[in-house]
């Protein structure tokens, strides 16, 4: 494991791999340039990245300023695999606004604060999960590991300093495994780690969305540890260079207004948004919709106290792996621009939005197979049939199995089926879940460990495969 953050960031700054830059060497006279760093494959930043870019919301907002007699603007988008290179570019004053996960956000604030030109503020959230399900640990399909402590003594791929790495450290610590001595962590970019996992060079991969879901969907891995077991909120958000936004406050306001546009679009049209993000990121739409669909990530821009409290708790992890300059988090977090964006764009009462903990996008409608309304969002799932305009809602996991059974009987092709974990609520692929049968009920879990916890409390529950569940559920 890397012991120091400084060398890590320096290495990233010197050799930014896996990023695609669309850079222009010059900006026309009289034109204000804004450079946005984002992560197309980190799909919980899409409202400040892939979806925002594809829909042109920022350019449209800036054009309104130009049309009203203001300056002309030029937007440059830079796509990276992780948050570290975005921070390196912000330190070099080459990126003005960037989006990344919670741990990288803290590193960003810590590393930039000593340079007035690079110093950043945390101005908005893109998406969050109240329990931590945005980070996971996966293992090869043939791995014998069923719990995170089974990884003791093995090599694990992670991006050191990322949210996925932070989850790994906390999970191992809780399981009684020393995260610095009990395992060997290889500091790798996500795609490199995915290759290492597939070739069995490592025993596990700890990463952030959408990598765990992608590898499981592609049958290249199985889920070992769901970050929701930690019960600690995880989130992604936006940082902006203070010197840039002081010179061009209208640009930050336009960006936040555009992010509100993208958030509204995603929450109102999640299936359409997933197609746009899939096209822009190269990820399968089924994987994008797993996270960006209703019941998945909470796309909410507000800087909630629960998230900031979790933010402060993350500092201990960062100090444990290397240099971390003391950061006044209360000063780093600046809700003032977002509050103004809410007021100026009719986005509702900011304080009410901050207080809300309800996922803005939930599965609703009528379950046609079980012939009843979908009234419990915590149990609701979805079935996506090939060629359908929208996935169909299922009231609970048993109803979802009935819908799958009926679709197969009719010879219909299934693109994906989504179901919430019975213990933690994490939205997951139904055919990749661990299933139990308890009486007449069928219960899905993201991991074997979660299913085992249920069986300990309910001795009558029995293990059953997904295919068996589909076959045996009563129509």
């Amino acid at each position: 494991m890397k012991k120091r953050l400084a060398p890590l960031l320096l290495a990233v700054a010197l050799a930014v791999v896996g990023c695609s830059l669309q850079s222009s060497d010059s900006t026309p006279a009289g034109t204000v340039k804004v450079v946005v760093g984002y992560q197309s494959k980190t799909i919980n930043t899409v409202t400040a990245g892939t979806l925002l870019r594809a829909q042109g919301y920022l350019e449209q907002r800036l054009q309104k300023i130009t049309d009203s007699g203001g300056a002309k603007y030029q937007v440059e988008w830079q796509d990276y695999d992780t948050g570290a290179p975005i921070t390196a570019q912000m330190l070099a004053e080459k990126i003005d606004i960037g989006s990344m996960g919670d741990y990288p956000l803290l590193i960003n604030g810590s590393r930039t604060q000593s340079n007035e030109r690079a110093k950043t503020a945390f101005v908005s959230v893109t998406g969050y999960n109240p329990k931590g399900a945005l980070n996971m640990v996966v293992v090869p399909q043939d791995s014998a590991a069923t719990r995170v402590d089974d990884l003791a003594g093995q090599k694990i791929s992670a991006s050191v300093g990322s949210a996925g790495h932070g989850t790994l450290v906390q999970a191992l610590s809780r399981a009684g495994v020393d995260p610095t001595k009990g395992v060997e962590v290889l500091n790798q970019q996500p795609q490199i780690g995915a290759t290492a996992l597939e070739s069995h060079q490592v025993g596990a991969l700890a990463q952030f969305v959408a990598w765990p879901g992608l590898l499981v969907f592609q049958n290249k891995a199985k889920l070992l540890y769901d970050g929701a077991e930690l019960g600690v909120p995880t989130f992604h958000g936006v940082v902006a260079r203070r010197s840039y936004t002081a010179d061009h406050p209208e640009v930050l306001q336009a960006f936040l207004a555009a992010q509100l546009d993208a958030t509204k679009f995603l929450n109102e049209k999640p299936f359409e948004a997933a197609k746009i993000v899939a096209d822009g990121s190269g990820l399968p739409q089924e994987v994008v919709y797993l996270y960006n669909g209703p019941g998945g990530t909470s796309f909410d821009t507000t800087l909630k106290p629960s998230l900031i409290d979790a933010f402060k708790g993350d500092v201990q992890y960062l100090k444990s792996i290397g240099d971390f300059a003391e950061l006044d988090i209360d000063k780093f977090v600046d809700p003032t621009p977002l509050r103004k964006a809410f007021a100026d764009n009719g986005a509702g009462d900011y304080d009410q939005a901050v207080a809300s903990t309800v996922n803005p996008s939930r599965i609703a409608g009528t379950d046609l197979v079980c012939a009843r309304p979908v009234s419990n969002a915590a149990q609701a799932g979805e079935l996506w049939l090939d060629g359908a305009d929208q996935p169909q809602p299922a009231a609970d996991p048993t109803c979802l199995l009935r819908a799958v059974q009926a679709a197969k009987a009719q010879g219909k092709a299934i693109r994906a089926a989504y179901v919430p974990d019975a213990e933690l609520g994490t939205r997951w692929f139904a055919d990749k879940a661990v299933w139990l049968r308890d009486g007449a009920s069928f219960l899905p879990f993201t991991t074997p460990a979660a299913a085992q916890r249920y069986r300990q409390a309910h001795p009558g529950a029995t293990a059953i495969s997904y295919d068996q569940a589909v076959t045996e559920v009563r129509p």
Side-chain angles (χ1 to χ4, degrees), residues 297-309:
T297 302
S298 292
F299 283 93
D300 180 334
T301 61
T302 59
L303 297 157
K304 300 183 184 300
S306 61
L307 302 184
I308 306 308
D309 287 343

Side-chain angles (χ1 to χ4, degrees), residues 63-138:
Q63 186 61 45
K64 288 182 180 180
I65 298 175
T66 302
D67 293 343
S68 62
K72 293 182 179 180
Y73 298 90
Q74 176 181 311
V75 181
E76 179 179 310
W77 297 87
Q78 297 186 359
D79 183 9
Y80 297 86
D81 291 321
T82 64
I86 296 176
T87 291
Q89 293 293 85
M90 296 185 94
L91 276 166
E93 302 170 32
K94 294 182 178 180
I95 286 180
D96 307 307
I97 299 173
S99 58
M100 58 193 73
D102 42 12
Y103 292 99
L105 284 167
L106 279 173
I107 295 174
N108 182 284
S110 172
R111 298 294 295 166
T112 63
Q113 64 176 322
S114 61
N115 180 344
E116 286 300 318
R117 294 291 302 171
K119 191 174 184 179
T120 60
F122 176 30
V123 295
S124 68
V125 170
T126 55
Y128 76 96
N129 183 281
K131 293 183 178 179
L134 304 185
N135 308 305
M136 294 175 166
V137 181
V138 295

Side-chain angles (χ1 to χ4, degrees), residues 12-73:
V12 172
L14 293 175
V16 179
V17 296
C19 68
S20 59
L21 301 183
Q22 299 179 10
S23 179
S24 57
D25 295 328
S26 62
T27 303
T31 298
V32 175
K33 182 178 179 180
V34 54
V35 183
V36 181
Y38 75 111
Q39 303 168 63
S40 64
K41 287 182 170 58
T42 305
I43 54 177
N44 289 307
T45 64
V46 297
T47 53
T50 307
L51 181 62
L52 180 65
R53 179 180 185 178
Q55 294 296 91
Y57 290 136
L58 176 56
E59 290 82 355
Q60 293 165 23
R61 289 284 183 171
L62 292 173
Q63 186 61 45
K64 288 182 180 180
I65 298 175
T66 302
D67 293 343
S68 62
K72 293 182 179 180
Y73 298 90

Side-chain angles (χ1 to χ4, degrees), residues 1-5 103 106-107 110 113 161 165 169 180 311-329:
M1 180 186 297
K2 296 292 185 182
K3 296 291 186 181
R4 313 288 286 177
L5 284 178
Y103 292 99
L106 279 173
I107 295 174
S110 172
Q113 64 176 322
H165 180 227
V169 170
T180 61
F311 211 32
K312 294 176 180 178
D314 295 340
V315 171
Q316 182 179 356
Y317 151 73
L318 291 171
K319 287 183 176 179
S320 75
I321 65 169
D323 289 334
F324 181 78
E326 290 297 334
L327 176 65
D328 189 329
I329 294 176

